[in-house]
Amino acid sequence: MPAIELSKAPQPSKTNPAQIRNFCIIAHIDHGKSTLADRMLQITEVVESRNMRAQYLDRMDIERERGITIKSQAVRLPWRSGYDNQEYILNMIDTPGHVDFTYEVSRSLAACEGAVLLVDCAQGIEAQTLANLYLAMENNLTIIPVLNKIDLPAAQPEKFAEELAKLIGCQPEDCLRVSGKTGAGVEELLNEIVKQIPAPVGDPDAPARALIFDSVYDSYRGVVTYVRVVDGHLSTRDQIQMMSTGVRHEMLEVGVISPEPVSSKGLGVGEVGYLITGVKDVRQSRVGDTVTTYIKPATKQLSGYKDPKPMVYSGLFPLDGADYPVLREALDKLQLNDAALVYEPESSAALGFGFRCGFLGLLHMEIVRERLEREAGLSLISTAPSVVYSVTDGDGKHLTVTNPSEFPEGKVLEVKEPIVRATVLAPSEFIGTIMELCQQRRGTLLGMDYLSEDRVEIRYTLPLAEIVFDFFDQLKSRTRGYASLDYEPTGEEPGDLVKVDILLQGEKVDAFSAIVHREKAYAYGMAMTVKLRELIPRQQFEVPIQAAIGGKIIARETIRAIRKDVLAKCYGGDISRKRKLLEKQKEGKKRMKMVGRVEVPQEAFIAALSTGEESSDDKDKKK
């Protein structure tokens, strides 16, 4: 979201709710949401052509570099309808498409009455298209089906219009056809939004109630809160309070995003805008909370959102231990902007003080780490990702394990792991290879449906631990990039899981421990011992690297000792002199091995814990 600046743009007057339309754009990743939003900004003339750029609403460098939307962005668009020639206010929210950012989509849907469901004419319906459609249906939103990229040579609008119509329950001719690139059909889409999406409903005379759907930290102005007003009216200098905490603030500024912040006199029923109270404490503005006025407070809170449930846990540790307070502050501010992030302090014998963070998936974890490094100037190590296990130990005590170091040492009666219901959409020619991959990952087939002659939907239950690591990469490579994946948690099931410890000279290194299925324990142990043998520098004594399950060693590699040339100073002479020096060296090495402790360099931790394999280019460079 943009940093809030004072704007000299004209102040919007109090708007009649009947003239407002709130909608969001939902689709699978890379189906053209941001490009369509660009054309809407141009056609409604809220952005001057000299200021226009591609993906205008993607504000972060990471979004622009990767070409993906990470944060949903709200913008207010004025539009004169072609049906009744009246002025309308369209509040549009551009949402992310990746499965890891579904929580952003769910919050956007709660602030809208309708959704534009976008499908790429060349790729068709994909897994996240279905997931977002079901989310919109759960929220009882009006859905407008739209086929995008009709200008592409590979576009098949007739074929995909039939698929989309069958899915939603409308006629193929009801699917609008647009091109976000050329702007074809976008004006008709804006007219249909005015015609089909209902106006927001609320009581303008009731006590004020506004739902916080996002917030951001501005270093000059404090916490900026983004709200959708449901009842009543919020004005500048009102005394407001948060209903969950009862904390009271004075409103310093209120306004709308069009698409830069524009201050106004107030926000009425159905309007979407921002509030600034000057508060610097990030914990006082919770996403999903209800804002009301202090003088005439509301009694009932708005429903808000379900708390996001982290799917993947990983430890984040600063390379320099002195950066720990900076990391804590950076996480506080980032959590305000990303409500799906969960974290708590933890310490590691090998890595020092850091935080155990919960993420919605691997991409979410990667983005959070990159944002922390860029926005706070930190250098971080992240431990290997793991999921949450429910463990029953030998005494019958139930434990929740988010970190391998929490796994009980003694007898374990049962380990339950999280299970997800995965939906894969792909061309039918890849059914065999997809099923083979899912069987390898301990999957159970639930069913299969043909969406059309050549597109199939395959449903599996899979352990979450099997898919968070590299399942998506494997799926894409086996299907030449055509398959798409979506998953949702369905509960827990018992599994034959063990903890594999890595020992350096008999000492456990907690950062390298992992909880894996018994069948894969040996492979993990071998891979880690071989990797560490290459990464840890040689010492003056032999160092054994072992992988163990409890007291049983399952793999071993040895770092050979460096031999110092003690005979270098002998230029001939009697052999007994040389033998004496070699015996003395042997005694010293024995003593060194008894007191010697292996120092693992930071680079070895980073390389051993990195998720990706080395490319052949990297290996060639090392050579």
Side-chain angles (χ1 to χ4, degrees):
M1 292 253 174
I4 297 296
E5 298 169 3
L6 284 169
S7 175
K8 293 177 184 172
Q11 295 189 348
S13 58
K14 197 172 177 180
T15 311
N16 177 5
Q19 306 299 109
I20 297 173
R21 299 291 184 272
N22 296 320
F23 73 99
C24 60
I25 306 175
I26 55 174
H28 189 82
I29 193 167
D30 203 28
H31 277 215
K33 295 179 296 300
S34 298
T35 310
L36 178 62
D38 287 350
R39 296 295 77 76
M40 289 182 173
L41 293 175
Q42 275 188 315
I43 288 168
T44 55
E45 297 178 349
V46 293
V47 178
E48 293 178 27
S49 53
R50 64 197 173 117
N51 295 331
M52 195 63 202
R53 58 179 183 177
Q55 278 82 49
Y56 188 88
L57 294 177
D58 289 347
R59 307 288 179 147
M60 285 188 278
D61 293 342
I62 305 173
E63 290 180 311
R64 305 190 72 76
E65 285 165 21
R66 290 172 177 250
I68 58 172
T69 302
I70 294 164
K71 284 292 299 170
S72 45
Q73 302 284 354
V75 61
R76 178 186 177 111
L77 309 171
W79 180 246
R80 182 174 286 279
S81 170
Y83 285 109
D84 53 14
N85 202 31
Q86 285 195 34
E87 290 283 348
Y88 287 89
I89 294 295
L90 309 180
N91 288 312
M92 176 189 73
I93 303 178
D94 179 25
T95 64
H98 196 278
V99 60
D100 283 11
F101 303 110
T102 304
Y103 185 62
E104 287 283 325
V105 181
S106 70
R107 283 164 35 202
S108 304
L109 293 170
C112 299
E113 279 79 36
V116 171
L117 180 70
L118 210 58
V119 172
D120 187 328
C121 259
Q123 296 180 58
I125 294 163
E126 299 199 55
Q128 201 58 30
T129 314
L130 289 175
N132 288 336
L133 170 63
Y134 297 147
L135 268 177
M137 285 176 165
E138 282 172 26
N139 282 270
N140 296 320
L141 299 191
T142 301
I143 293 154
I144 301 177
V146 178
L147 294 166
N148 191 21
K149 306 189 185 181
I150 55 167
D151 56 308
L152 290 180
Q156 297 173 282
E158 284 75 24
K159 177 187 173 185
F160 294 126
E162 282 186 24
E163 275 189 30
L164 197 50
K166 199 191 300 180
L167 191 66
I168 294 174
C170 63
Q171 297 302 312
E173 54 270 21
D174 294 337
C175 299
L176 300 176
R177 293 162 194 206
V178 305
S179 168
K181 188 176 180 183
T182 64
V186 179
E187 288 193 21
E188 290 81 353
L189 171 58
L190 290 168
N191 288 330
E192 285 298 322
I193 286 167
V194 169
K195 185 181 175 185
Q196 293 188 35
I197 293 175
V201 178
D203 185 351
D205 302 318
R209 287 195 304 168
L211 182 68
I212 300 177
F213 68 89
D214 206 353
S215 47
V216 66
Y217 186 82
D218 183 87
S219 49
Y220 298 104
R221 316 198 70 186
V223 177
V224 181
T225 306
Y226 294 88
V227 296
R228 149 78 199 267
V229 179
V230 176
D231 292 323
H233 189 265
L234 291 172
S235 310
T236 314
R237 297 295 172 190
D238 271 355
Q239 294 281 334
I240 59 164
Q241 71 174 12
M242 307 296 171
M243 286 189 74
S244 67
T245 57
V247 180
R248 178 179 157 193
H249 307 292
E250 183 180 353
M251 206 138 62
L252 303 179
E253 187 180 317
V254 61
V256 296
I257 309 290
S258 184
E260 302 304 324
V262 180
S263 61
S264 70
K265 291 174 183 171
L267 294 173
V269 170
E271 288 194 274
V272 174
Y274 68 87
L275 314 173
I276 297 176
T277 58
V279 172
K280 298 282 184 183
D281 184 357
V282 295
R283 287 177 291 274
Q284 291 187 12
S285 183
R286 277 180 52 245
V287 168
D289 201 353
T290 304
V291 177
T292 187
T293 50
Y294 180 72
I295 296 166
K296 189 184 173 186
T299 52
K300 192 180 176 187
Q301 269 187 268
L302 295 165
S303 56
Y305 319 100
K306 285 185 281 189
D307 281 336
K309 197 176 177 188
M311 308 278 268
V312 180
Y313 281 85
S314 173
L316 284 179
F317 296 87
L319 270 177
D320 182 356
D323 287 338
Y324 176 74
V326 182
L327 176 59
R328 184 175 54 209
E329 193 178 331
L331 279 166
D332 272 349
K333 288 177 183 171
L334 187 58
Q335 192 181 38
L336 181 74
N337 195 229
D338 182 355
L341 174 65
V342 176
Y343 62 92
E344 59 181 28
E346 80 162 346
S347 63
S348 158
L351 302 172
F353 290 101
F355 290 90
R356 189 85 188 152
C357 303
F359 308 98
L360 297 181
L362 279 191
L363 178 67
H364 186 212
M365 170 182 146
E366 203 180 316
I367 295 294
V368 165
R369 181 183 160 171
E370 203 166 327
R371 285 186 69 183
L372 288 169
E373 288 184 338
R374 288 185 185 203
E375 293 168 18
L378 292 162
S379 295
L380 301 171
I381 298 177
S382 54
T383 60
S386 67
V387 299
V388 189
Y389 298 97
S390 298
V391 181
T392 308
D393 65 11
D395 302 331
K397 205 161 97 183
H398 297 285
L399 307 165
T400 300
V401 174
T402 59
N403 187 343
S405 62
E406 296 169 0
F407 200 86
E409 291 295 330
K411 189 182 176 186
V412 172
L413 296 179
E414 186 183 55
V415 182
K416 285 186 177 177
E417 60 182 336
I419 301 293
V420 295
R421 183 179 187 272
T423 305
V424 179
L425 266 74
S428 51
E429 62 187 282
F430 298 115
I431 290 174
T433 188
I434 292 168
M435 292 177 87
E436 183 192 357
L437 175 63
C438 293
Q439 299 292 2
Q440 285 174 4
R441 301 302 178 96
R442 300 188 282 132
T444 307
L445 182 65
L446 290 176
M448 191 189 305
D449 289 317
Y450 279 84
L451 296 177
S452 62
E453 288 175 15
D454 56 351
R455 283 180 71 75
V456 66
E457 176 188 332
I458 307 171
R459 295 179 300 281
Y460 264 91
T461 55
L462 287 152
L464 179 62
E466 295 285 348
I467 69 166
V468 294
F469 208 58
D470 63 346
F471 181 83
F472 189 62
D473 295 343
Q474 288 286 328
L475 181 68
K476 284 288 185 187
S477 62
R478 289 181 185 220
T479 59
R480 301 204 300 271
Y482 283 111
S484 60
L485 170 75
D486 181 54
Y487 59 86
E488 57 180 20
T490 58
E492 293 181 328
E493 282 182 16
D496 187 9
L497 300 161
V498 292
K499 179 188 174 188
V500 178
D501 288 309
I502 303 297
L503 289 77
L504 282 181
Q505 214 173 346
E507 282 184 35
K508 285 181 189 173
V509 183
D510 60 349
F512 297 138
S513 298
I515 299 168
V516 294
H517 194 262
R518 194 178 292 275
E519 288 175 6
K520 297 188 177 179
Y522 175 71
Y524 174 80
M526 278 300 295
M528 280 304 281
T529 51
V530 169
K531 210 175 192 183
L532 288 171
R533 189 192 68 192
E534 292 169 3
L535 294 168
I536 296 173
R538 287 167 68 186
Q539 313 286 323
Q540 293 221 340
F541 50 91
E542 199 175 78
V543 178
I545 305 169
Q546 298 164 309
I549 299 172
K552 184 184 175 186
I553 305 296
I554 58 168
R556 173 181 168 135
E557 291 287 332
T558 306
I559 301 170
R560 288 175 54 214
I562 300 170
R563 184 181 168 219
K564 185 181 175 186
D565 191 0
V566 291
L567 305 181
K569 59 187 179 184
C570 294
Y571 299 104
D574 188 16
I575 187 70
S576 60
R577 186 175 168 217
K578 291 182 181 177
R579 199 172 284 131
K580 188 179 169 186
L581 285 169
L582 289 169
E583 287 297 324
K584 194 176 176 185
Q585 184 187 39
K586 199 193 267 183
E587 286 298 316
K589 284 205 172 185
K590 264 189 194 171
R591 197 163 62 249
M592 186 185 283
K593 196 168 181 182
M594 281 196 302
V595 296
R597 189 169 172 276
V598 186
E599 289 293 332
V600 183
Q602 208 87 59
E603 297 75 34
F605 274 111
I606 296 166
L609 296 173
S610 63
T611 52
E613 289 294 315
E614 278 186 328
S615 66
S616 53
D617 294 343
D618 293 337
K619 287 176 181 172
D620 292 342
K621 279 177 196 169
K622 284 187 179 178
K623 285 175 187 172

